[in-house]
Amino acid sequence: MSQSTSKWALKYRGATVEDLDPPPALSTKPTELISYALMNAYERDYSHLTVVSEETRALLGYLNIPRLKEMLKNGHVLETDHVEKAMQKFQRSGKVYKVITMDTPLEELEAFFTGGVDGGGPQDFAVVTDDNRRFVLGVATKGDLEEFVKRRPA
């Protein structure tokens, strides 16, 4: 289904990521304990945490909390391990990432989630940054988009 024929497209009506009112990103560091990161995610009911460098605050990757719970259950990691053992790292070289900002139209965000618009395959979440990708402003999920559509009158 293309973005122009999406069953949700008519409900967007010019809305942008900012209209989703994404919660501020919750970041963790690679050296923090998994138990600490998990506790922070549970307290805020977050499904993804960004992982940032301790020195530069550069975005290094993320923790997918449902995946992390599965890794703990299967014994691949322990709560006493560091986040770096369970995080999914962003590839720095040879990969161009789609920049998602507060001004990104929701049609574009939906296409990103379904693998279009430089998504390179279906995505579970988007890191929302400023235009220059210097600051992580929030995280938007496909669930956020679904909730927006449910709240939006026809």
Side-chain angles (χ1 to χ4, degrees):
M1 191 174 278
S2 74
Q3 69 182 23
S4 60
T5 60
S6 161
K7 63 182 178 180
W8 295 344
L10 294 176
K11 290 199 173 189
Y12 297 148
R13 295 192 301 269
T16 64
V17 170
E18 185 172 17
D19 295 308
L20 294 178
D21 196 21
L26 179 62
S27 296
T28 187
K29 298 174 187 126
T31 56
E32 285 183 347
L33 295 180
I34 287 174
S35 60
Y36 181 74
L38 207 51
M39 180 185 65
N40 282 327
Y42 283 147
E43 285 177 354
R44 292 166 182 84
D45 197 27
Y46 280 20
S47 61
H48 294 81
L49 299 181
T50 54
V51 180
V52 297
S53 164
E54 294 176 70
E55 297 83 31
T56 64
R57 304 273 307 148
L59 190 60
L60 301 175
Y62 63 96
L63 273 178
N64 176 323
I65 300 304
R67 178 179 173 268
L68 176 58
K69 286 196 275 188
E70 199 60 37
M71 292 175 75
L72 286 163
K73 180 180 168 187
N74 294 334
H76 291 89
V77 294
L78 302 171
E79 287 192 9
T80 53
D81 287 334
H82 290 151
V83 163
E84 63 193 343
K85 190 168 180 183
M87 69 184 259
Q88 293 174 267
K89 296 178 183 174
F90 290 125
Q91 294 176 347
R92 290 284 178 210
S93 60
K95 183 151 172 86
V96 177
Y97 287 97
K98 169 71 179 155
V99 177
I100 303 290
T101 68
M102 290 293 193
D103 296 325
T104 299
L106 293 186
E107 293 86 353
E108 225 174 276
L109 182 64
E110 181 184 357
F112 175 77
F113 287 144
T114 59
V117 190
D118 305 285
Q123 306 294 319
D124 293 327
F125 77 106
V127 175
V128 182
T129 67
D130 65 308
D131 289 333
N132 298 321
R133 297 185 344 184
R134 294 188 65 203
F135 303 103
V136 176
L137 303 176
V139 172
T141 67
K142 194 169 184 179
D144 295 332
L145 198 55
E146 290 169 359
E147 284 303 312
F148 176 85
V149 169
K150 286 179 190 174
R151 291 190 319 263
R152 191 89 170 202

